Amino acid sequence: MARAATGGVLLLVEDEDAIGRLVKAYLEQQDGWTVVWVRTGEDAVGELRRHPVRLVVLDIGLPGIDGFEVCRQMRAHSKVPIVMLTARDEEPDRVAGLELGADDYVSKPFSPRELAARIKAILRRVENRNEDEVLTARDIVLRRDSRVVTVVGDEVELTGKEFDLLACFLEHPGIVLSREKLLDLVWGITYPGGTRTVDVHVAQLRRKLGDPESIRTVRGAGYKLQAA
Ligand code: CA
């Protein structure tokens, strides 16, 4: 079943190597997230614009601008759920973070498992209140909250990456997306030869959707979703 509650791109902002490595490995291996990990607030604000980020885990103590300022800047243009990591079990930090629009906080030290559980609770709460998190085109219906895709009412079983790729196409109906752009948006990476991965996933999507015309190849340019 493509009914995983977690998955997609998670932006992790943490300057401590040990914590960053641990959290990234746990969330990727246990919960199927694609974790984009940055170490500064400045990078975090940039990355949020580059990827379809589903949730942000944000440390308060960072070099350069701190987590509070990052939260403020993100909230200026995004409703993405934000979990703040507070260094101390201090009330003022929590209150300040929540007032700036963070959705929750986790106090250090924490176990990756505890953070993962908190993330799931936040997703349930935040995504259930966003009814507009349903994307449609042709006979395809994609629900972000439950991560379920149906075609003419029948559920289609997709892998996490196939789901994210389809969501990306549905967000840009009729627009040509290059292989490099798709690789960046969905996988959060670029590397030589990586575009072959995109081709393989597009082929799989066409097959599973049972509609080869749904995603068109635009020669020399990339792919686009045929909106109708
Ligand atoms: Ca820190």
PDB file of all heavy atoms in Angstrom, residues 14-16 59 61 108, ligand 1:
ATOM      1  N   GLU A  14      20.412  21.749  11.277  1.00  0.00           N
ATOM      2  CA  GLU A  14      21.127  21.380  12.505  1.00  0.00           C
ATOM      3  C   GLU A  14      22.618  21.502  12.245  1.00  0.00           C
ATOM      4  O   GLU A  14      23.138  20.919  11.300  1.00  0.00           O
ATOM      5  CB  GLU A  14      20.758  19.931  12.883  1.00  0.00           C
ATOM      6  CG  GLU A  14      21.587  19.332  13.998  1.00  0.00           C
ATOM      7  CD  GLU A  14      21.487  20.104  15.298  1.00  0.00           C
ATOM      8  OE1 GLU A  14      20.466  19.962  16.000  1.00  0.00           O
ATOM      9  OE2 GLU A  14      22.430  20.854  15.603  1.00  0.00           O
ATOM     10  N   ASP A  15      23.312  22.289  13.084  1.00  0.00           N
ATOM     11  CA  ASP A  15      24.739  22.510  12.839  1.00  0.00           C
ATOM     12  C   ASP A  15      25.620  21.470  13.521  1.00  0.00           C
ATOM     13  O   ASP A  15      26.806  21.373  13.224  1.00  0.00           O
ATOM     14  CB  ASP A  15      25.147  23.919  13.293  1.00  0.00           C
ATOM     15  CG  ASP A  15      24.862  24.153  14.764  1.00  0.00           C
ATOM     16  OD1 ASP A  15      23.727  23.860  15.184  1.00  0.00           O
ATOM     17  OD2 ASP A  15      25.758  24.605  15.486  1.00  0.00           O
ATOM     18  N   GLU A  16      25.058  20.698  14.444  1.00  0.00           N
ATOM     19  CA  GLU A  16      25.879  19.680  15.116  1.00  0.00           C
ATOM     20  C   GLU A  16      25.906  18.398  14.300  1.00  0.00           C
ATOM     21  O   GLU A  16      24.862  17.775  14.067  1.00  0.00           O
ATOM     22  CB  GLU A  16      25.320  19.389  16.512  1.00  0.00           C
ATOM     23  CG  GLU A  16      25.668  20.462  17.528  1.00  0.00           C
ATOM     24  CD  GLU A  16      24.981  20.217  18.861  1.00  0.00           C
ATOM     25  OE1 GLU A  16      25.231  19.165  19.466  1.00  0.00           O
ATOM     26  OE2 GLU A  16      24.176  21.064  19.253  1.00  0.00           O
ATOM     27  N   ASP A  59      16.738  23.595  14.374  1.00  0.00           N
ATOM     28  CA  ASP A  59      17.463  23.865  15.616  1.00  0.00           C
ATOM     29  C   ASP A  59      17.429  25.372  15.886  1.00  0.00           C
ATOM     30  O   ASP A  59      17.431  26.176  14.953  1.00  0.00           O
ATOM     31  CB  ASP A  59      18.917  23.378  15.459  1.00  0.00           C
ATOM     32  CG  ASP A  59      19.679  23.426  16.766  1.00  0.00           C
ATOM     33  OD1 ASP A  59      19.048  23.311  17.832  1.00  0.00           O
ATOM     34  OD2 ASP A  59      20.916  23.566  16.718  1.00  0.00           O
ATOM     35  N   GLY A  61      19.760  27.073  18.064  1.00  0.00           N
ATOM     36  CA  GLY A  61      21.129  27.586  18.103  1.00  0.00           C
ATOM     37  C   GLY A  61      21.893  27.237  16.840  1.00  0.00           C
ATOM     38  O   GLY A  61      22.289  26.099  16.635  1.00  0.00           O
ATOM     39  N   LYS A 108      16.209  19.106  23.539  1.00  0.00           N
ATOM     40  CA  LYS A 108      17.428  18.300  23.545  1.00  0.00           C
ATOM     41  C   LYS A 108      17.796  17.979  24.991  1.00  0.00           C
ATOM     42  O   LYS A 108      17.585  18.833  25.856  1.00  0.00           O
ATOM     43  CB  LYS A 108      18.577  19.069  22.896  1.00  0.00           C
ATOM     44  CG  LYS A 108      18.441  19.242  21.402  1.00  0.00           C
ATOM     45  CD  LYS A 108      19.661  19.992  20.887  1.00  0.00           C
ATOM     46  CE  LYS A 108      19.609  20.150  19.376  1.00  0.00           C
ATOM     47  NZ  LYS A 108      20.760  20.874  18.845  1.00  0.00           N
TER      48      LYS A 108
HETATM   49 CA    CA B   1      22.925  23.988  17.381  1.00  0.00          CA
END
